[in-house]
Amino acid sequence: MRELTIGIVQFGATQEKKENLEKIKKLIGRRKYAEIVVIPEYSNYHFVGLSPEKSYELAEPLEGSFITSLQEIALSHKIYLIGAFLEKSSFSPKVYNTAFLISPEGKLIGTYRKIHLFDAYNYKESDYVIAGNEPSKVYDIGKVKIALSVCFDLRFPELYRVLALEGAEMFIMPTAWYSGPLKEETLSLLIRARAVENTSYMVVACQFNKTFTGRSSVIDPFGTVLTDLSIGEKYSEISIDLDLVEEARKIIPVLFLRKPEIYCPKICGHYQVL
C-alpha cells in the first residue's frame, strides 16, 4: 500500500498578516505524521472590505516575508507545504491569487496563479486580482503526482481533466468558499465530482469564519468523503491509500474511454458565448 498522510489547516484569515502567520504556525504545530500540509486560499490576508489599493499595499512578492516564513515552517517540520496567497504584481492595484508548493527542504518549487476569478454571486474578484493564464504543472513529489487549483477553478471541469490526462493523481485546492444558501452543498457536490470523474484524490483546505464555509475535505478517487472538517478553526490529519488511484482507473477507465475526436472541437471554441 502506498500510504500518504495529509494535514489540513482550516482557519479564518484577517487583514493582519502577522496574526494570520502566527495562527498558521500554531495549527501546523499540531502536526504528528503529515507529509503534506495544506492551508487555505488568501492565507496571508483577505480583501473583504478593503479597497484594491489597500489590498495591493498588503500583498507581497514570492520573495517576501510571508512565503519566506512558510519556507521556514516547511523546513522545520520536513513537510510539503501548499496553500494560496495574494501575490504582488507589477499591475497596481491588482494582485495575483497564487498557489504555492514548498518542499521539505524549504524550497519554493512550484506556483500556480488562479485562472478563473470569482466574478459571481455579486462578488467581483477581478476588481482585485489578475487572472493567471496557464494551468498548474503536474508535480511529482515522490509518492504521488499532484496538481494545484484554487477555489472558483472548481467549477471548470475541463481544467481538472487536462491535469488528470497529464498524470495528476491528486488535486490540491486551497479555497475560501463564500458562505450563502446551498453553498456548502455546492462545494461538497463539486469536489466529489472532480474526484470521481477523474479517478483522482481531491484535497481541499478552506477558510472558516463568518464569511467562509469551512468544510475542508479529502475525497478519494471513487468520490467517497474520507474526511470533512465541518466548521471551526482546526488542524486535522488523515492517511490515505494512493493505490486507490490505480484501482479506480482500472475499474472505471474514464480517462481511457474518452472520445475527444467527437466533442473536443466543440468544447474548444465552436460555441458562442451567451
Side-chain angles (χ1 to χ4, degrees), residues 57-123:
E57 181 182 327
L58 290 173
E60 296 182 18
L62 290 168
E63 303 79 17
S65 61
F66 184 77
I67 292 296
T68 300
S69 296
L70 295 182
Q71 290 176 280
E72 293 170 357
I73 293 171
L75 178 61
S76 65
H77 288 278
K78 303 297 181 186
I79 55 172
Y80 287 97
L81 181 56
I82 296 167
F85 85 123
L86 294 168
E87 176 196 356
K88 185 157 287 187
S89 77
S90 56
F91 303 99
S92 174
K94 295 188 178 183
V95 300
Y96 292 112
N97 191 341
T98 302
F100 53 81
L101 169 62
I102 299 171
S103 75
E105 293 74 38
K107 304 295 185 183
L108 180 64
I109 59 174
T111 59
Y112 159 72
R113 288 169 173 166
K114 184 179 180 181
I115 295 172
H116 303 99
L117 303 183
F118 185 54
D119 287 3
Y121 288 94
N122 295 316
Y123 292 97

Side-chain angles (χ1 to χ4, degrees), residues 14-25 44 66:
T14 70
Q15 282 143 17
E16 297 296 328
K17 292 189 294 182
K18 289 184 179 179
E19 178 182 314
N20 298 331
L21 184 59
E22 286 305 311
K23 193 172 289 187
I24 292 167
K25 285 182 181 178
N44 52 343
F66 184 77

Side-chain angles (χ1 to χ4, degrees), residues 140-156:
D140 187 341
I141 60 171
K143 286 188 175 182
V144 63
K145 294 178 181 178
I146 66 170
L148 309 177
S149 63
V150 180
C151 202
F152 197 57
D153 285 331
L154 184 63
R155 292 180 180 267
F156 299 86

Side-chain angles (χ1 to χ4, degrees), residues 56-271:
Y56 187 82
E57 181 182 327
L58 290 173
E60 296 182 18
L62 290 168
E63 303 79 17
S65 61
F66 184 77
I67 292 296
T68 300
S69 296
L70 295 182
Q71 290 176 280
E72 293 170 357
I73 293 171
L75 178 61
S76 65
H77 288 278
K78 303 297 181 186
I79 55 172
Y80 287 97
L81 181 56
I82 296 167
F85 85 123
L86 294 168
E87 176 196 356
K88 185 157 287 187
S89 77
S90 56
F91 303 99
S92 174
K94 295 188 178 183
V95 300
Y96 292 112
N97 191 341
T98 302
F100 53 81
L101 169 62
I102 299 171
S103 75
E105 293 74 38
K107 304 295 185 183
L108 180 64
I109 59 174
T111 59
Y112 159 72
R113 288 169 173 166
K114 184 179 180 181
I115 295 172
H116 303 99
L117 303 183
F118 185 54
D119 287 3
Y121 288 94
N122 295 316
Y123 292 97
K124 200 77 180 294
E125 188 178 19
S126 63
D127 285 345
Y128 295 82
V129 178
I130 303 170
N133 59 12
E134 58 183 310
S136 166
K137 294 180 181 178
V138 175
Y139 298 95
D140 187 341
I141 60 171
K143 286 188 175 182
V144 63
K145 294 178 181 178
I146 66 170
L148 309 177
S149 63
V150 180
C151 202
F152 197 57
D153 285 331
L154 184 63
R155 292 180 180 267
F156 299 86
E158 305 94 327
L159 176 63
Y160 295 85
R161 178 52 52 88
V162 167
L163 295 171
L165 292 172
E166 291 183 349
E169 301 169 291
M170 176 182 291
F171 307 126
I172 298 183
M173 187 183 79
T175 184
W177 198 262
Y178 281 87
S179 300
L182 299 179
K183 289 298 298 300
E184 291 184 34
E185 183 71 16
T186 302
L187 175 61
S188 176
L189 169 69
L190 290 174
I191 58 178
R192 293 180 67 195
R194 296 298 85 85
V196 75
E197 70 195 7
N198 294 294
T199 49
S200 303
Y201 276 98
M202 187 88 198
V203 178
V204 179
C206 188
Q207 284 209 39
F208 171 77
N209 54 26
K210 292 180 180 179
T211 304
F212 302 117
T213 58
R215 302 298 299 275
S216 303
S217 302
V218 176
I219 315 296
D220 81 7
F222 291 102
T224 303
V225 180
L226 300 181
T227 188
D228 180 336
L229 271 61
S230 185
I231 61 174
E233 295 191 330
K234 60 186 71 173
Y235 173 81
S236 182
E237 293 187 355
I238 183 171
S239 293
I240 62 172
D241 179 5
L242 294 171
D243 287 336
L244 275 184
V245 176
E246 183 179 359
E247 181 180 342
R249 291 179 179 180
K250 286 180 179 178
I251 295 171
I252 320 167
V254 290
L255 299 179
F256 175 76
L257 294 174
R258 297 175 311 112
K259 295 189 177 181
E261 70 279 5
I262 296 175
Y263 42 75
C264 276
K266 293 184 178 181
I267 291 175
C268 294
H270 288 188
Y271 288 120

